[in-house]
Amino acid sequence: MLKSLHREANDPIDWNAIRNTPKPVQPEYSDTKEAIAQKLLDNFKPTV
């Protein structure tokens, strides 16, 4: 059944609880794959 927000409201959202939850862990930057790709590109020799 499709819902329309103006006709059928979902359960109320506790925005304060959401605001008080801890933030997700920031992802760590890694350039390992980029370095491998650059090395492959630098060593590329076109062939026939």
Side-chain angles (χ1 to χ4, degrees), residues 31-46:
D31 64 346
T32 306
K33 292 183 179 181
E34 182 180 353
I36 292 169
Q38 187 63 51
K39 185 176 179 180
L40 290 171
L41 179 62
D42 293 341
N43 295 326
F44 175 74
K45 304 268 192 273

Side-chain angles (χ1 to χ4, degrees), residues 7-43:
R7 293 185 192 168
E8 298 179 34
N10 290 334
D11 296 332
I13 299 172
D14 186 0
W15 294 110
N16 288 322
I18 293 172
R19 180 179 50 196
N20 294 329
T21 57
K23 292 182 180 180
V25 177
Q26 192 75 4
E28 292 183 23
Y29 177 75
S30 174
D31 64 346
T32 306
K33 292 183 179 181
E34 182 180 353
I36 292 169
Q38 187 63 51
K39 185 176 179 180
L40 290 171
L41 179 62
D42 293 341
N43 295 326

